[in-house]
Amino acid sequence: MVSEKHFVNNPSDLVKDSILGLVSTSTHLKFDEESKVIYLRNIDDVKESQVTLFCGGGAGHEPAHGGFVGPSFLTSAVSGHVFASPSTSQVLSCLQRTYSPNHGTIVIVKNYTGDILNFGRAIERFKAEEAGKGSVDCKVSMVVVGDDVGVVNESEEIDVGRRGLSGTVLVNKIACGSAASGESFENVERIAKFAAENVFTIGCALDPASVPGQGLPRVLETSQIEFGMGIHNEPGFKTTELKSGHEMVSDMISHVFNSKLLKASSQKLNSKKVVLLVNNLGAISNLELGLVSNEACNEIKKHGFEIVRAFQGTFMTGLAMPGASISVLVVPSSSADEQEILKFIDLPAHAPGWNNLIPVADKSSKSDAIVDNERRANLASQTSNKTHERSEMWVKISNSVYDSSVVHEQEITYLDSVMGDGDCGQVLLSGTTSVKNAANSSKIPSNNIAAAVSTISGLLEDSMGGTSGIIYCLFFDGVSQHLSKAGYSSDNGAMPSAEVWGEALSNGLETIQRYSTAKVGDRTLIDALHPFIETFKASGGDLAQSLESAKQGAKKTEEMVPLRGRAVYTGKGKGHADAGAVGVCAVIEGILNALH
């Protein structure tokens, strides 16, 4: 469910307050508060040296467009209210401030009726003013960007009614790069129009965005997603059931690359090369956005296109809309034209909303070789262990421990969610699953007990994340080291006595404490592991008695003050046992069930 909570004072002042924050943290910017115009601090120098450019539209799409005002990028930007075009007077004020008499000015506008009318009227008023001053050659041109593929009916042969989306940012970057490179007004206009005509965008939203002061216009069902939702919450062209990230991105890419618009562009330019821009619509995590980028790159290649440049980030939002959009710009096929486009894209520009590509030569072959050699050596070692004789004992124990972790997973996850991040049960289950699979595939060297325990440590390292994973690894490392020193590192199948096992377990505990400094009473898995080991040693290896001691230790954690881990920040246990301690009991219980 999308949150309707916002950081806001007065909704009517939010746009102004936001721009003031942008300018306060961007020393290269100034702000005309009355007209809501953001402009370069050195705008007079820029007007003397190059074609100037500005863009604008409703607020709520940050960082667009004020976040793209900077050296080698936009000269200025003008903002309306949330999701509303700036007025003619605002645009006129921006144009008056930005116009370069010597070089001219390009105005880039997204294809929305309010924007077209207000920006167009402002340009006409400005031309009339200039004519009244005797200027007969007023160089001002408006370039309209309508890159939305989602609003085009698949049966349509022509480009009708496309809205301006995140592809506008690519148009801005290319046109501004051209101007900053000293290109003429005519060339800047030409390159801007080319980019506008050959960029295509599709979006997918998990929900609409909440507008400060207005709330949510509508809500999708929990299991629904919407393709083609506009950046102002406009309805999309298709609502479907929530799918995997792969399927959602695949649908987006297919819609773009199968559209008659992109096909016509690719055919006209005789090109199979594109620039890719993956955009966060405001409220998905960077973790998810990375997945979208990866899937988009893979799917584009499946359609037979080459990605010559790729960008990922938050460029044009729909407030805090949970979703992503994908823009592709078809690049000319001729080498000279392609290099022209890439030159302007690659030109470093400095603006809060833009991340430049980082030009670094590939000089990593030596380091890659070192790591690759190590991996090959490890793989050879692992391969040699695949021929071990299947041990029914290891199979029985690993299966039983897995079963126990399945039974207790929900309880452990709940306990961890109360005091931590809720992953402890799943992490333990992942680890026991990997050991079970290895044992059932004869990948544990059953005739060498020290090597077997070491192998389990390696399996847990690969399968268990987080703090609990490394703690288990340290424990098994310590156990394996002691067994090796005690003479159980050869392939003779010798099994340690209860006394040797007890000392090995103690060494495992000491290894944990050497690095974690955790001790009994700190409310960790040590509170179950320590009494288990002590009872095991005192009882001569009585697992049932030792498990009971571990459970008692875990029970005591319910009223302990946490002194280690995330639980430190949440305070007292409040009647809940430590998840890690309960997890240790689950493992021991599995071993006991197998041996009995």
Side-chain angles (χ1 to χ4, degrees), residues 215 425 459:
L459 292 167

Side-chain angles (χ1 to χ4, degrees), residues 409-432:
E409 185 272 327
Q410 188 172 1
E411 175 193 6
I412 297 168
T413 295
Y414 168 73
L415 292 172
D416 194 40
S417 66
V418 172
M419 303 300 289
D421 55 1
D423 67 344
C424 190
Q426 279 297 321
V427 167
L428 179 62
L429 182 58
S430 177
T432 59

Side-chain angles (χ1 to χ4, degrees), residues 15 57-64 79-83 231 281 316-320:
V15 176
H61 308 304
E62 289 69 26
S79 175
H81 295 297
V82 175
F83 293 172
I231 55 176
L281 285 170
M316 183 176 290
T317 62
L319 287 172

Side-chain angles (χ1 to χ4, degrees), residues 6-70:
H6 301 278
F7 281 100
V8 62
N9 297 323
N10 185 333
S12 62
D13 292 332
L14 180 56
V15 176
K16 178 196 68 176
D17 292 342
S18 177
I19 297 174
L20 285 171
L22 170 67
V23 175
S24 296
T25 55
S26 305
T27 56
H28 67 294
L29 297 179
K30 293 185 72 173
F31 180 39
D32 175 356
E33 191 171 324
E34 182 176 345
S35 297
K36 293 188 179 66
V37 174
I38 307 103
Y39 57 98
L40 285 170
R41 184 175 292 276
N42 65 333
I43 191 169
D44 291 342
D45 291 343
V46 175
K47 289 161 63 174
E48 288 294 325
S49 62
Q50 66 167 72
V51 175
T52 55
L53 299 97
F54 75 89
C55 193
H61 308 304
E62 289 69 26
H65 293 284
F68 298 112
V69 177

Side-chain angles (χ1 to χ4, degrees), residues 161-314:
R162 295 203 294 157
R163 303 171 293 207
L165 300 178
S166 55
T168 307
V169 177
L170 286 176
V171 178
N172 287 338
K173 180 64 181 72
I174 292 167
C176 292
S178 174
S181 299
E183 297 287 333
S184 66
F185 176 85
E186 291 75 18
N187 277 343
V188 175
E189 181 183 32
R190 173 184 59 82
I191 203 75
K193 287 182 176 179
F194 170 85
E197 292 168 359
N198 294 283
V199 65
F200 308 94
T201 299
I202 183 68
C204 178
L206 311 181
D207 251 320
S210 170
V211 180
Q214 300 177 32
L216 286 163
R218 55 196 172 94
V219 178
L220 298 178
E221 297 294 329
T222 303
S223 61
Q224 288 183 320
I225 56 173
E226 188 168 295
F227 291 92
M229 184 183 294
I231 55 176
H232 308 114
N233 285 328
E234 302 98 326
F237 66 90
K238 181 173 68 174
T239 300
T240 67
E241 291 296 304
L242 179 65
K243 306 174 183 179
S244 69
H246 168 73
E247 291 173 296
M248 289 190 285
V249 177
S250 178
D251 284 352
M252 294 168 73
I253 295 298
S254 292
H255 188 82
V256 173
F257 282 84
N258 290 331
S259 71
K260 294 180 179 179
L261 296 172
L262 185 138
K263 287 182 176 179
S265 172
S266 175
Q267 184 175 4
K268 180 181 178 181
L269 297 173
N270 189 28
S271 173
K272 289 281 189 176
K273 295 182 178 182
V274 295
V275 173
L276 169 67
L277 184 141
V278 180
N279 173 59
N280 187 344
L281 285 170
I284 65 168
S285 66
N286 288 326
L287 190 68
E288 296 164 88
L289 192 65
L291 178 147
V292 174
S293 295
N294 180 53
E295 294 290 347
C297 290
N298 292 336
E299 291 301 312
I300 289 173
K301 293 172 185 176
K302 289 180 183 178
H303 282 267
F305 281 74
E306 176 188 354
I307 301 170
V308 293
R309 295 291 186 276
F311 299 90
Q312 170 188 302
T314 303

Side-chain angles (χ1 to χ4, degrees), residues 486-563:
Y488 294 91
S489 59
S490 58
D491 295 332
N492 57 14
M495 186 62 64
S497 64
E499 181 181 358
V500 174
W501 271 120
E503 293 303 321
L505 295 174
S506 291
N507 194 61
L509 177 60
E510 291 170 5
T511 304
I512 294 175
Q513 293 179 310
R514 187 179 310 133
Y515 295 98
S516 73
T517 70
K519 59 184 183 300
V520 173
D522 286 350
R523 199 180 186 278
T524 69
L525 61 79
I526 300 296
D527 289 294
L529 187 59
H530 183 273
F532 163 75
I533 294 172
E534 290 302 304
T535 302
F536 185 91
K537 292 169 67 176
S539 65
D542 188 324
L543 270 178
Q545 188 178 342
S546 303
L547 173 59
E548 185 59 33
S549 295
K551 288 182 175 180
Q552 291 175 8
K555 177 71 174 175
K556 292 179 182 178
T557 63
E558 292 181 3
E559 298 305 320
M560 289 181 183
V561 176
L563 297 177

